[in-house]
Amino acid sequence: MGKLDEIRALLGAKLKEKKSETFSFGSAYNISEVPKIIEKKNKDWVYWGEDNLYPLKLKDMKTASAIHNAIVKTKTKLTAGDGLLINGATNEQTSKANYQALDVKTKAAFDYVTKNEQGDMSLDEIMRNLANDLQTYGCYAYSRVYNNDFTKQYKIKYYPVFKIRAAKKEDGRIKKYYFHEDWTQEKQRGFEPSVIFAYDKNDKENYEQLVFRKIGDLEYYGEPSYSGALTWIQTDFQMGLFHLSNITNGMNPGMHFSFYKLPSSEDDKERILEDLQRTYMGAQQAGRFITTFSNGKELAPDIKAIETSNLDKQLITLAELCDKKILSGHQLTSPLLVGISVSGQLGGNTELQIAYQIFDNVIIGSDRNMLDKDLQFIYGL
């Protein structure tokens, strides 16, 4: 290897190392709008995405984009509403005068329905979690647990849907699901998800049966309503990283150190680079620099910065486009519904009420009806 090749190799290694340290978080967001659903011969469960981690990426997307996170939270609240309303009763006090009109006619029955006392969550908490999963992943999961003789539903149990994987279909239907706390450990020795059988009204053998609901056209898993905006959500995240990097490095301008004499050994090179990092980058690694070694000035590389014209205007335009695309992907009738102001709009009460009515009737209404049907399915209310 010649001297110049040696320098290039050294610089390439250092830049690659620096890039991986800084942007390893961002690499997780290379996510497609439609996941690959793969049935592998050596796996009992169906892959949700090429690496089987697609829902985890959707989960992290909410922390990657502020506007996306705000919209998902708003849609979740609108879907779940203010709590359960069972035949006109919202709690024990309001139900006492209306017991004759209720399907649950005693305090014990009412508590059984609403508190889910044998479970880890109340029915209201479960519904809020299901609403969040529906808006985040386009699907949700819960189980019905029965007593020993299947004469009574013992409890309802919520399952975070990103921890669930479907088994391959048998006779045209999914008969069981697999649950694990951490699917990133799938390749580790001893990895063994637990099996939960799918709900079947004729099943009198399995006391816990999983109900899995989804929207979209995927065969096994759900498709989030905002899937068409995933590219723009990722762009929003990358723009945040770009601005953070600029601010972090603002007080420490980039520098180029040229050494016109080659170090005597690889250890000497490493020592020089470590000294520069310690001196100019600091504990927060705020500085940026390039170091080159050459055997004389005539062999030194010529490094020039490429200036981008109107970068500030381009970034403003891109930010506005990102917001519009993400809002469109969520089918949001007005950004005011999630607290986002838009230039040129006054945002009066009338406009907000109309936007809410349209959004609630057209978009949220169908999601809420989906949860309502499951409430009726669970208790026959």
Side-chain angles (χ1 to χ4, degrees), residues 193-221:
S194 56
V195 176
I196 310 173
F197 286 86
Y199 172 79
D200 184 348
K201 64 180 180 181
N202 298 318
D203 184 353
K204 301 303 178 183
E205 295 182 4
N206 299 293
Y207 298 108
E208 182 176 16
Q209 300 175 19
L210 189 83
V211 179
F212 190 98
R213 305 292 192 201
K214 69 182 185 67
I215 57 176
D217 299 325
L218 298 179
E219 186 175 6
Y220 286 96
Y221 302 110

Side-chain angles (χ1 to χ4, degrees), residues 176-288:
K176 58 186 177 182
Y177 292 87
Y178 293 89
F179 171 84
H180 197 276
E181 287 288 345
D182 188 1
W183 285 92
T184 65
Q185 302 298 314
E186 183 178 345
K187 295 181 180 179
Q188 301 297 321
R189 180 178 299 179
F191 179 85
E192 188 175 349
S194 56
V195 176
I196 310 173
F197 286 86
Y199 172 79
D200 184 348
K201 64 180 180 181
N202 298 318
D203 184 353
K204 301 303 178 183
E205 295 182 4
N206 299 293
Y207 298 108
E208 182 176 16
Q209 300 175 19
L210 189 83
V211 179
F212 190 98
R213 305 292 192 201
K214 69 182 185 67
I215 57 176
D217 299 325
L218 298 179
E219 186 175 6
Y220 286 96
Y221 302 110
E223 185 177 355
S225 59
Y226 59 84
S227 59
L230 280 171
T231 298
W232 294 100
I233 296 171
Q234 294 175 82
T235 302
D236 187 37
F237 166 69
Q238 294 294 344
M239 286 180 63
L241 280 183
F242 175 80
H243 289 303
L244 176 61
S245 177
N246 276 345
I247 293 171
T248 303
N249 290 289
M251 301 301 294
N252 295 274
M255 306 180 76
H256 175 209
F257 297 93
S258 295
F259 293 87
Y260 300 121
K261 182 179 179 180
L262 294 176
S264 58
S265 65
E266 288 294 327
D267 291 339
D268 196 22
K269 285 181 183 178
E270 291 295 329
R271 181 185 59 78
I272 293 172
L273 290 171
E274 288 174 2
D275 287 344
L276 288 172
Q277 286 179 334
R278 185 164 50 251
T279 303
Y280 289 96
M281 294 181 69
Q284 301 297 324
Q285 293 188 338
R288 295 177 295 176

Side-chain angles (χ1 to χ4, degrees), residues 4-17 256-257 273 289-293 301 303:
L4 288 178
D5 292 333
E6 186 177 359
I7 293 170
R8 293 192 187 99
L10 176 64
L11 283 175
K14 287 297 175 184
L15 290 174
K16 183 177 181 181
E17 177 184 348
H256 175 209
F257 297 93
L273 290 171
F289 65 86
I290 295 177
T291 307
T292 59
F293 299 93
I303 301 176

